[in-house]
Amino acid sequence: MSNDIKLLARRSLNRLQPEPLARKLLSGVQDGPGQAVYLLNTHMAAESLSNLHLRVALEEAEVLVADGKPISIFASRINGENIPQIPGFDLVISLLHHPAAVGKRVMAFGGTELEQNSALSALRTEGVRVLPQFFPVGFIADPTSVPEQLVDDICNFRPDIVLAFLGCPKQEIFIYQLKKIYPSIYVGLGGALQVVGGVKRRAPKLMRWLSLEWLFRLAQDPGRLWKRYATTIPLFLIYALTGKFG
């Protein structure tokens, strides 16, 4: 299997800012094939080099959003145009706050009950136009296999938008299966649920502008993130600088 995945040169890479991207996604809610929207970061890109299921999911994604400054910088240089960075928090708020969201059915899964309730409370305070309805998904040992109960829930609820808060690579592989089962817009948002609900703080604007949001996250959760950052960031930089991603 070639390591030249060319993720940062794909036509599916988003060029829009959060509000027009939300409008585009919401206007695409209609009868037809399911669509996968993934927020691409350095961890996901590096993981795709060794995880075939993740790689296929990313290669067949309808929309890839640059979630992280390194992705935005390298993709902009490769494509010769601005590829905006859109964190999961911004995309969630833009989707749920957009006028086109009125009347849409939004399903969500992932996170703990505390995180879900905190997020719903924060979204009510934010004054979004539609609130997601959370469904239990249970422990997912194999993301290539979708639980029958979740399939039943999706088919019965008939969502226009599905928000997945499972983390990479589980949610991307999971969404890849789901979009073939039920036609909806599936958005992989990882840990954005914790930030929306205030369980974890978002980096200050200055740190985000300086591309140091990763450092702020590391300080909040060093036990889980230090190994990921120590391996995936250097790996991403090596492959990006040698043209493997585009």
Side-chain angles (χ1 to χ4, degrees), residues 163-235:
L163 309 178
F165 301 98
L166 298 177
C168 172
K170 185 175 292 185
Q171 71 188 4
E172 288 75 29
I173 300 171
F174 205 54
I175 286 173
Y176 177 72
Q177 311 302 323
L178 287 174
K179 74 174 185 177
K180 295 182 288 185
I181 295 173
Y182 185 87
S184 183
I185 308 296
Y186 297 88
V187 188
L189 292 160
L193 184 68
Q194 297 172 326
V195 181
V196 171
V199 176
K200 288 187 178 178
R201 292 185 298 143
R202 193 178 186 188
K205 287 185 178 180
L206 179 59
M207 293 192 75
R208 299 202 300 269
W209 184 76
L210 292 172
S211 304
L212 293 175
E213 191 165 11
W214 66 272
L215 185 60
F216 188 82
R217 292 173 181 167
L218 179 62
Q220 291 190 87
D221 195 358
R224 185 176 68 89
L225 294 179
W226 77 266
K227 186 175 181 180
R228 174 192 295 183
Y229 287 168
T231 55
T232 59
I233 291 179
L235 187 61

Side-chain angles (χ1 to χ4, degrees), residues 109 137-147 150 166 170-171 174:
F109 54 78
V137 69
F139 176 72
I140 302 172
D142 178 11
T144 65
S145 177
V146 181
L150 182 59
L166 298 177
K170 185 175 292 185
Q171 71 188 4
F174 205 54

Side-chain angles (χ1 to χ4, degrees), residues 1-7 10 38 44-61 64 169 172-173 176 239 244-245:
M1 179 176 66
S2 171
N3 278 333
D4 293 342
I5 188 171
K6 305 299 183 184
L7 276 179
R10 292 191 172 274
Y38 301 135
M44 192 183 300
E47 182 80 12
S48 69
L49 297 170
S50 58
N51 188 319
L52 179 59
H53 291 297
L54 175 61
R55 178 169 179 164
V56 170
L58 295 180
E59 288 178 334
E60 298 189 17
L64 289 175
E172 288 75 29
I173 300 171
Y176 177 72
Y239 276 89
K244 301 295 185 183
F245 290 124

Side-chain angles (χ1 to χ4, degrees), residues 2-19:
S2 171
N3 278 333
D4 293 342
I5 188 171
K6 305 299 183 184
L7 276 179
L8 304 185
R10 292 191 172 274
R11 294 184 64 184
S12 57
L13 204 62
N14 171 64
R15 272 80 170 166
L16 302 175
Q17 295 294 333
E19 192 278 336

Side-chain angles (χ1 to χ4, degrees), residues 153-170:
D153 288 340
I154 291 176
C155 292
N156 290 332
F157 187 68
R158 293 179 297 161
D160 300 300
I161 302 282
V162 178
L163 309 178
F165 301 98
L166 298 177
C168 172
K170 185 175 292 185

